[in-house]
Amino acid sequence: EVQLVESGGGLVQPGGSLRLSCAASGFTFSAYALIWARQAPGKGLEWLSGISGIGDSAYYGGSVKGRFTISRDNSKDTLYLHMNSLRAEDTAVYFCARGIAAALVSTDWFDLWGQGTLVTVSS
Amino acid sequence: QSVLTQPPSVSGAPGQRVTISCTGSSSNIGAGYDVHWYRQLPGRAPQLLIYTYSIRPSGVPDRISASKSGPSASLAIAGLQAEDEADYYCQSYDANLRGWIFGGGTTLTVL
């Protein structure tokens, strides 16, 4: 089955760190760029970060640049999001999603999404 | 506040046609960047509905369509059904932000 499954969410204190994972199956992992997006409670979607298929290019949105790091391990078919200096406003469901090719370009859309993992930042 | 502006909610009776607008600016839709649409059922992941302005992936019925005019795009759903109740998001790219952007989302209610 073609799918993405996120994990690693949970409760973390402000200023803390967390690593999210996104395990892929059913497709050639390295052939696709991937992104992370999030959805705060009752809010809309926000793109956070993207990475190319071979991991040589990474992109970040302004709200997470310098705090979050995207990476991937193509030998394990897994995408990661390393999150540092977490704030209350980072509380959200975090989704990974697949681009349409190995390179991430401006015209891309995202055709496969995981179910999300909840991150709660609170003391 | 989202860079792409959508109405918070729209509604229609079964069988009717509704449209959802997505208004951008000269740095995103107005600059010619593609617009894509997603549907999200409560508690579920987003699902691709339309890509590159008006192309439907396989499995999406032809009563769902989309268009673009200037710095705006719109999604139309004809023959409303109860199963269409969901949140709908537009997505594009912004040259100033150098990143992919989503609209704030529109909740469709079938009366």
Side-chain angles (χ1 to χ4, degrees), chain A residues 24-78:
Chain A
S25 58
F27 63 94
T28 303
F29 187 68
S30 60
Y32 294 90
L34 296 165
I35 68 160
W36 285 100
R38 69 184 178 188
Q39 187 169 34
K43 302 296 184 182
L45 296 167
E46 178 189 11
W47 170 79
L48 300 177
S49 182
I51 189 168
S52 61
I54 60 172
D56 60 336
S57 298
Y59 311 87
Y60 297 93
S63 64
V64 302
K65 195 169 187 177
R67 299 191 300 128
F68 291 9
T69 301
I70 192 171
S71 64
R72 62 191 297 162
D73 185 338
N74 287 350
S75 69
K76 297 181 179 179
D77 290 353
T78 303

Side-chain angles (χ1 to χ4, degrees), chain A residues 35 37 39 43-47 50 59-62 95 104-116, chain B residues 33-34 36 38 40 43-48 51-52 87 89 91-93 97-105:
Chain A
I35 68 160
Q39 187 169 34
K43 302 296 184 182
L45 296 167
E46 178 189 11
W47 170 79
Y59 311 87
Y60 297 93
F95 296 99
L104 196 56
V105 299
S106 60
T107 53
D108 279 357
W109 60 94
F110 309 108
D111 67 346
L112 177 68
W113 294 68
Q115 290 301 308
Chain B
Y33 290 106
D34 290 355
H36 320 290
Y38 302 85
Q40 185 180 30
R44 305 295 298 274
Q47 290 182 300
L48 181 67
Y51 63 93
T52 312
D87 292 330
Y89 294 90
Q91 176 244 310
S92 186
Y93 181 87
L97 298 174
R98 296 184 184 180
W100 292 262
I101 53 175
F102 290 92

